[in-house]
C-alpha cells in the first residue's frame, strides 16, 4: 500500500505512468463515484485495452452482473499474464470492491498495489489486517516500487499485434470483411443467426451506404496467414470485452463457422487428434481460446450440471442463447459479416 496522506498529484501521476501492459503491469484510475460492485471490474477491463459495448437499451447480460464482470476480469488477467495491478485513489473504492480485488489477487496470484491518497478508511484497514502487505510512505520509495518487479512477456508489442489497439468506435470508412464460407460440418441444427449478420454487400449503420466487404480466406496454412488477419485481431482485442465472445469471433474469422456451429466444435487432444479446429492456429487466436478456457473454469461447472453434449473436454465453447446473440453483435462490431450463400443452379427444364 502506497500512502499519500496529503493527496499530492505526483503520487497519482507516478502510479499511472507505471502502466505497461506488455510487461504485465496495469495501472487503473477507478471511475469516480462509481460504487456498484461491477464498475471497478469494468475499469480494469478497460485498462487492459478493451471497450465494453456502448450503453444501449439492451446491454450484454454479463455487464450488469458483478460476479460475471469480475470473472471476465480474472480470465483476461490469467490469459494475458498480468502480474501486477496498481489501483489509484484506493481510499475511494468500496468494501465490496476491495473484497473483489483481494479475490482477484488470490485467484491469479497477481501483485496488488493500492495508492491511498488520504487517511486509510476503516474498511481498508480491516481488510489489510487480514492479508500480508507492506506500506510505502515516500514518493521516492513509491517510484522505486512501481518501476521494478515486472516480468517481460514473451510476445512484446514490437512483434505481437495484441497490444496495438483498433479505433473505437469504428470509423465510418473502416473496411468490412466477409467471413470465410460456412463449413458444412459441424451443423447440428438450423442456422440461428440473425439476418443482419448475413450477406454482402452490407449497409453501414450510420451512413446507410453500400459498403463492399473484403473476402477473407479460410485459414489453411497458419504459417502464412492472410494480411487482413492482423487488423481483425486488433479489432477483436479492442472491441470485445468478454473472452468467450472474443474467442468465438476469432474462430469465425479464421474458419467461417457460424454461431450455431460453435458449441459443437472440437479441438484436438492426444486421444482425439481429429477435430474441427486445427492445433496450429495463430498465436493471437490460441491466446483467446486460453482466455475462454480460463473463463469456463472460473464458472465452476461440474459434469453433472451440464447437458451431455456440453461435457466434452475438447469442446471450447459452452454458449447460451444470450451468448450466441452477443457473439453475433460482436462480429458486426468488428466489421465482419457472413459470406453470401451461393445458390445452386436449377436443373429443372423450362416449359416450352
Amino acid at each position: 500500500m502506497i500512502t499519500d496522506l496529503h493527496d499530492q498529484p505526483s503520487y497519482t501521476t507516478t502510479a499511472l505512468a507505471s502502466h505497461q501492459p506488455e510487461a504485465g503491469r496495469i495501472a487503473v484510475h477507478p471511475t469516480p463515484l462509481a460504487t456498484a460492485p461491477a464498475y471497478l471490474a469494468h475499469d480494469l477491463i478497460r485498462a487492459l485495452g478493451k471497450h465494453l459495448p456502448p450503453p444501449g437499451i439492451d446491454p450484454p447480460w454479463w455487464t450488469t452482473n458483478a460476479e460475471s464482470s469480475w470473472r471476465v476480469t480474472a480470465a483476461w488477467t490469467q490469459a494475458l499474464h498480468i502480474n501486477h495491478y496498481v489501483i489509484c485513489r484506493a481510499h475511494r473504492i468500496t468494501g465490496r470492491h476491495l473484497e473483489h480485488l483481494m479475490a482477484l489477487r488470490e485467484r491469479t496470484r497477481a501483485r496488488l498495489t493500492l495508492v491511498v491518497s488520504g487517511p486509510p478508511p476503516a474498511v481498508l484497514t480491516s481488510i489489510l489486517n487480514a492479508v500480508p502487505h507492506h506500506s510505502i510512505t515516500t514518493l521516492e520509495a513509491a517510484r522505486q516500487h512501481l518501476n521494478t518487479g515486472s516480468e517481460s512477456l514473451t510476445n512484446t508489442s514490437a512483434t505481437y499485434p495484441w497490444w496495438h489497439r483498433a479505433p473505437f468506435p469504428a470509423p465510418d470508412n473502416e473496411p468490412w470483411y466477409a467471413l470465410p464460407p460456412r463449413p458444412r460440418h459441424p451443423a447440428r441444427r438450423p442456422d440461428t443467426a440473425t439476418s443482419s449478420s448475413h450477406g454482402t454487400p452490407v449497409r453501414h449503420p450510420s451512413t446507410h451506404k453500400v459498403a463492399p466487404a473484403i473476402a477473407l480466406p479460410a485459414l489453411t496454412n497458419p504459417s502464412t496467414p492472410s494480411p487482413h488477419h492482423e487488423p481483425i485481431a486488433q479489432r477483436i482485442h479492442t472491441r470485445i470485452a468478454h473472452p468467450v465472445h472474443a474467442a468465438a469471433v476469432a474462430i469465425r474469422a479464421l474458419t467461417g463457422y457460424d454461431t450455431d456451429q460453435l458449441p459443437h466444435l472440437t479441438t484436438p487432444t492426444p486421444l482425439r487428434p481429429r477435430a474441427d479446429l486445427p492445433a496450429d492456429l495463430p498465436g493471437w487466436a490460441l491466446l483467446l481460446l486460453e482466455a475462454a478456457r480460463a473463463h469456463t473454469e472460473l464458472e465452476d461447472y461440474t459434469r453433472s450440471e451440464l447437458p451431455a453434449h456440453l461435457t466434452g473436454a475438447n469442446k471450447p465453447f459452452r454458449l447460451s442463447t444470450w451468448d450466441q446473440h452477443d457473439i453475433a453483435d460482436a462480429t458486426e462490431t468488428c466489421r465482419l459479416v457472413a459470406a453470401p450463400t451461393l445458390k445452386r443452379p436449377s436443373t429443372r427444364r423450362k416449359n416450352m
Side-chain angles (χ1 to χ4, degrees):
M1 181 176 70
I2 298 175
T3 304
D4 168 26
L5 292 177
H6 303 290
D7 196 4
Q8 301 177 57
S10 53
Y11 278 84
T12 300
T13 302
T14 299
L16 293 176
S18 71
H19 181 73
Q20 294 181 3
E22 309 95 310
R25 183 168 56 218
I26 299 294
V28 183
H29 193 294
T31 301
L33 305 179
T35 58
Y39 284 2
L40 183 58
H42 296 172
D43 288 333
L44 267 62
I45 292 169
R46 293 188 186 97
L48 289 169
K50 306 182 181 307
H51 288 273
L52 276 71
I57 298 176
D58 186 23
W61 62 271
W62 67 270
T63 62
T64 60
N65 182 277
E67 297 298 330
S68 297
S69 296
W70 281 98
R71 194 155 47 235
V72 165
T73 306
W76 283 125
T77 299
Q78 292 180 204
L80 297 176
H81 305 285
I82 302 304
N83 53 50
H84 191 180
Y85 277 109
V86 180
I87 311 297
C88 301
R89 316 294 294 175
H91 61 295
R92 293 289 182 90
I93 62 179
T94 67
R96 288 290 305 278
H97 286 162
L98 289 169
E99 291 173 1
H100 282 295
L101 279 174
M102 295 303 168
L104 177 68
R105 169 182 172 271
E106 181 67 23
R107 174 68 190 190
T108 64
R109 301 299 180 183
R111 301 169 65 198
L112 178 62
T113 297
L114 303 178
V115 182
V116 179
S117 303
V123 63
L124 175 59
T125 301
S126 176
I127 289 177
L128 290 180
N129 285 337
V131 297
H133 70 282
H134 68 278
S135 298
I136 294 174
T137 57
T138 68
L139 182 59
E140 184 58 35
R143 287 172 174 163
Q144 183 177 0
H145 169 76
L146 292 172
N147 287 285
T148 59
S150 290
E151 299 177 1
S152 298
L153 297 178
T154 302
N155 297 312
T156 64
S157 60
T159 58
Y160 193 54
W162 188 254
W163 299 109
H164 298 173
R165 301 186 185 184
F168 182 88
D172 291 346
N173 62 348
E174 184 177 76
W176 289 72
Y177 290 98
L179 298 170
R182 169 184 171 130
R184 291 187 177 183
H185 301 288
R188 310 296 175 86
R189 59 180 182 270
D191 185 8
T192 57
T194 60
S195 59
S196 63
S197 64
H198 283 263
T200 54
V202 297
R203 294 191 178 276
H204 191 280
S206 60
T207 63
H208 301 290
K209 294 181 180 180
V210 172
I214 302 170
L216 284 175
L219 186 69
T220 56
N221 185 0
S223 63
T224 56
S226 166
H228 300 300
H229 286 157
E230 182 171 325
I232 289 173
Q234 294 168 7
R235 294 181 191 181
I236 293 173
H237 160 62
T238 304
R239 300 173 189 172
I240 308 180
H242 196 291
V244 175
H245 303 167
V249 173
I251 294 304
R252 295 196 68 193
L254 294 172
T255 65
Y257 285 117
D258 213 334
T259 53
D260 65 304
Q261 297 174 297
L262 292 173
H264 310 291
L265 298 179
T266 58
T267 54
T269 65
L271 297 178
R272 297 180 180 179
R274 295 187 62 185
D276 303 302
L277 297 178
D280 49 357
L281 290 168
W284 62 269
L286 290 174
L287 189 150
L288 290 171
L289 286 173
E290 171 62 20
R293 183 197 61 77
H295 183 272
T296 300
E297 288 185 353
L298 290 166
E299 287 181 322
D300 197 26
Y301 283 130
T302 63
R303 294 180 67 88
S304 60
E305 294 174 338
L306 290 173
H309 69 285
L310 290 180
T311 56
N314 65 330
K315 290 185 176 180
F317 297 112
R318 299 171 180 175
L319 305 177
S320 67
T321 302
W322 287 347
D323 285 318
Q324 294 191 42
H325 174 79
D326 290 342
I327 289 167
D329 287 345
T331 303
E332 286 200 5
T333 299
C334 292
R335 298 294 178 93
L336 296 166
V337 292
T341 302
L342 298 178
K343 295 183 178 180
R344 295 183 179 180
S346 175
T347 57
R348 295 182 181 179
R349 294 184 178 179
K350 296 183 179 180
N351 294 329
M352 299 300 291

